[in-house]
Amino acid sequence: MGTVTTDDRTTIFYKDWGPRDGEPIVFHHGWPLSADDWDNQMLFFLAQGYRVIAHDRRGHGRSTQSATGHDMDTYAADVTALTDALDLRGAVHIGHSTGGGEVARYVARAKPGRVSKAILVGAVPPLMLKTEANPGGLPMEVFDGFRAGVAGNRAQTFIDIPSGPFYGFNRPGAQVSQGLIDNWWRQGMMGAANAHYECVAAFSETDFTEDLQQIEVPVLVAHGTDDQVVPYNDSAPLTVKLLKNGTLKSYEGYPHGMLSTHPEVLNPDILAFIRS
């Protein structure tokens, strides 16, 4: 574990496990979580001989609770600072939800040789917000609701989201894991309220169309069809159409947090894509 300091003196916390000469995999977490959300995947790929790295986004987890920079351009610049500091080459970048947007923006701008493949899981691209150009998106009221929850009672909101739509625990017959709910709350409350509030606009209003069009490396787009946070129809299929070398893998009935509810399915599929 270590830290990297960015140009604006923000400290980015990261974990770095495994052999220094192993193929690097970099994990990018969702809102409002931390690198800890990748523990299952990091242990799985560590056991396969990979070097696994995950960072806390600025304002999240153990990174600096910065006053500024809660936008996708800065998030991607922070990733550049991290990958430069570790001199990562030929890395696989995996992003979930907001982290998928971060991956798209970083990979589109990455220096030659830094990235070998990318994987977007339940990711926010191309654009979550409903606009004239994106009529299938979610209305602004949905995201205003997230902001109101953070500002009004963040602690309760961070119980309600994982108890309900995030993991699909609100579906009939769902096997509820209190541990996942509690860990989601723990990670969220480690971060800064201002960062969580401003990140809502970053993940919902950022248009990743041009980023996706510029990406040259192979990209796996994995998405659950019962994703209640980033609806399937306005995300994964549209993302794949914009990519030059994209592969869509849909998971029937899986929720937004499927990496945690179904790691026994997702982890081997991701491994197969990396090895392909």
Side-chain angles (χ1 to χ4, degrees), residues 90-104:
V92 177
H93 284 261
I94 305 177
H96 175 240
S97 196
T98 300
E102 182 178 277
V103 167

Side-chain angles (χ1 to χ4, degrees), residues 180-209:
L180 284 181
I181 295 170
D182 292 347
N183 193 40
W184 205 99
W185 182 91
R186 177 190 68 84
Q187 293 179 73
M189 295 306 293
M190 288 171 65
N194 69 314
H196 294 158
Y197 188 95
E198 293 182 26
C199 185
V200 173
F203 74 66
S204 64
E205 299 178 39
T206 303
D207 190 338
F208 297 96
T209 298

Side-chain angles (χ1 to χ4, degrees), residues 70-138:
H70 307 295
D71 58 83
M72 280 294 165
D73 285 346
T74 307
Y75 295 160
D78 291 347
V79 176
T80 297
L82 174 64
T83 55
D84 283 356
L86 299 180
D87 194 25
L88 301 181
R89 300 181 184 277
V92 177
H93 284 261
I94 305 177
H96 175 240
S97 196
T98 300
E102 182 178 277
V103 167
R105 180 133 302 180
Y106 166 74
V107 172
R109 303 177 179 189
K111 299 173 184 176
R114 291 290 189 193
V115 181
S116 63
K117 293 181 180 180
I119 299 163
L120 310 179
V121 184
V124 298
L127 171 63
M128 286 195 71
L129 183 66
K130 181 178 181 179
T131 64
E132 289 186 9
N134 185 43
L138 296 172

Side-chain angles (χ1 to χ4, degrees), residues 4 12 23 27 54 68 79 108 123 150 176 246 271-272:
V4 168
I12 302 297
E23 183 178 357
F27 298 91
T68 59
V79 176
V150 170
V176 178
L271 177 63

Side-chain angles (χ1 to χ4, degrees), residues 6 8 29 36 48-49 82 88 90 104 117 126 136 211 217 225 236 241 243 270-271 275:
T6 67
D8 68 350
H29 65 80
D36 293 353
Q48 300 294 327
L82 174 64
L88 301 181
K117 293 181 180 180
D211 301 290
V217 300
T225 62
K241 289 181 180 179
L243 291 164
I270 293 171
L271 177 63
R275 288 177 170 173

Side-chain angles (χ1 to χ4, degrees), residues 188 247 252:
T247 300
E252 186 63 33

